[in-house]
Amino acid sequence: MLVDSPPEQRAETAPAPPSKRRVLRAAGLPVALAVLVCVALASIAIGAKDLSLAQVWHGLFHDSDTYGDVVVGERLSRTVLGLLAGAALGLAGAVLQALTRNPLADPGLLGINAGASAAVVTGITFFGVTSLSGYVWFAFAGAAGVGALVWFLGGSRGATPVRLVLAGTAISAALFGYLQAVMIMDDAALGRMRFWTVGSLASATTGTIREVLPFFVTGTFLALALARPLNAMEMGDDTAKALGANLNRTRALSMLAATVLCGAATAACGPIVFVGLMIPHIVRSFTGPDMRWILPYAAILSPVLLLGADVLGRIVARPSELQVGIVTAVLGGPVFIFLVRRRRTAQL
């Protein structure tokens, strides 16, 4: 015969009340910010020549009159770009996971990375583009074009998560085939693209940051503004409509936000994988499904992963370095397999 536990015992084993969970999530944000600051300082201090904290401080807040100060100035652009690109990829991944209702979705799922890469190859091969600033605009145009095409093929106003994913997968396959064909036929394109396609922060400049900053800012504000509508959409279309959400507008704006953010990051750094997949998925495990918490945490912790991978790439291959896209791919593969297996086990 089953006997109920005493009230005192039930109170002890009951889950934490929602208010306590909110307090814990809010307290975690300053901790995440502190970790981000530490990783950013490490990104400035660690490289082929390690710098002390005193040298980093002097280089940041004084005139560049020593070798160390010059190094700090060069690494600062790289770090700032890593902060912006990491936040953009994390936000784009979180928005796409909510839009497609697939916790293992990432910015590459809808063909945005493929569109940017194909556009850069086209610019190199057919328009003679050789500068990073030229890559930026071709890459962004390609990402935006593919985003619009996916939205159109997915049904535009009648778009559903399944249709969008299918359209993105088909376009990605076609564009990567085009990409490989052009690079095989054009040795010059292959030579110029081999570093850009793996993803890197090494070519960061203040000029590149200025060019893509408006897109980062616009995409970030748009993604954060979509938190409540995306929360409603994750409950299902019927429930979202009952709550007053405009499904077509939310999906269109979500596509726009993800395209702007991922397009800007890919344009500046090249296609970097797994950041937009891993961090939102991991964040959801301790914040719950509320996008009002997932988006801020993803924006903070994704740069931690990107800059941490960049620092690791400088350490393991001294005096040279591994591009950050290679490091994130090596780290992300096993993590992705673990997430898939854990999700499958949970479903069983």
Side-chain angles (χ1 to χ4, degrees), residues 106-125:
D106 75 331
L109 186 66
L110 298 185
I112 297 173
N113 285 346
S117 299
V120 171
V121 168
T122 300
I124 292 172
T125 303

Side-chain angles (χ1 to χ4, degrees), residues 132-338:
L132 182 62
S133 60
Y135 295 171
V136 166
W137 292 107
F138 271 91
F140 189 80
V146 168
L149 184 59
V150 168
W151 175 249
F152 174 76
L153 294 178
S156 58
R157 291 186 176 275
T160 64
V162 174
R163 288 181 180 178
L164 292 174
V165 170
L166 290 175
T169 302
I171 292 173
S172 293
L175 288 177
F176 276 122
Y178 164 78
L179 178 68
Q180 295 300 320
V182 172
M183 292 176 66
I184 289 173
M185 292 186 297
D186 187 349
D187 291 338
L190 177 61
R192 296 190 188 112
M193 282 290 295
R194 58 178 179 159
F195 291 112
W196 188 85
T197 52
V198 298
S200 175
L201 300 175
S203 301
T205 64
T206 54
T208 302
I209 294 172
R210 282 196 298 266
E211 289 179 353
V212 297
L213 182 61
F215 301 105
F216 284 129
V217 174
T218 302
T220 297
F221 278 110
L222 183 56
L224 295 175
L226 289 169
R228 288 182 181 273
L230 288 173
N231 276 344
M233 285 185 59
E234 286 198 330
M235 300 179 187
D237 289 357
D238 293 337
T239 303
K241 289 178 181 178
L243 293 173
N246 188 321
L247 299 183
N248 292 329
R249 182 177 63 188
T250 301
R251 285 178 179 140
L253 292 177
S254 297
M255 279 290 299
L256 178 61
T259 299
V260 170
L261 288 167
C262 186
T266 304
C269 309
I272 298 176
V273 297
F274 286 118
V275 175
L277 183 155
M278 285 193 296
I279 296 301
H281 189 82
I282 293 171
V283 165
R284 188 177 286 104
S285 67
F286 62 84
T287 64
D290 193 339
M291 295 296 292
R292 293 173 298 177
W293 290 103
I294 292 174
L295 291 172
Y297 269 104
I300 295 172
L301 294 180
S302 294
V304 171
L305 172 60
L306 188 61
L307 289 177
D310 190 41
V311 172
L312 181 61
R314 301 181 216 174
I315 294 174
V316 299
R318 282 178 172 174
S320 183
E321 66 177 68
L322 287 176
Q323 280 75 21
V324 66
I326 297 174
V327 180
T328 58
V330 171
L331 295 176
V335 173
F336 179 72
I337 294 172
F338 169 75

Side-chain angles (χ1 to χ4, degrees), residues 10 73 80 87 337:
R10 290 202 301 269
V80 171
I337 294 172

